[in-house]
Amino acid sequence: MSRPRGDLRGDATVAAEFWPRVRKTHWCWQWVGPRSHGAVGYGLIQVRGNTGAHRVAYAMTNGAIPAGLVLRHRCDNPSCVRPSHLILG
């Protein structure tokens, strides 16, 4: 059975590209790769096109983001990719 589009759980290729670009701190997991709008923006990674790193982090741990929903950061830190800080809204 195939995964729904956008579900990145178990995708070793994406994980190998993604996790080396994350610096884990005691609170947020900071994306250290490219960002939109320089150092203050959302992390960006090439996964099926230019995609927000926070969206990839969520899809790798929770599956596809349902249509019509967005991700919010509990921590209000756009460069954070810690899955527990990301909530659907």
Side-chain angles (χ1 to χ4, degrees):
M1 185 158 96
S2 66
R3 294 185 305 229
R5 182 167 167 71
D7 186 346
L8 299 174
R9 290 177 288 187
D11 190 320
T13 303
V14 173
E17 289 276 326
F18 186 87
W19 293 114
R21 297 177 183 178
V22 175
R23 181 176 47 89
K24 295 180 179 180
T25 69
H26 70 283
W27 182 246
C28 290
W29 294 0
Q30 294 293 127
W31 178 255
V32 296
R35 295 188 197 172
S36 64
H37 308 293
V40 296
Y42 291 91
L44 297 173
I45 187 170
Q46 289 289 321
V47 175
R48 299 180 183 142
N50 214 16
T51 305
H54 63 296
R55 295 178 65 83
V56 172
Y58 184 91
M60 284 194 302
T61 56
N62 299 297
I65 299 167
L69 294 180
V70 297
L71 284 180
R72 296 179 31 231
H73 287 85
R74 293 177 194 261
C75 56
D76 290 326
N77 178 357
S79 65
C80 180
V81 296
R82 188 173 189 163
S84 64
H85 288 197
L86 304 172
I87 55 173
L88 291 171

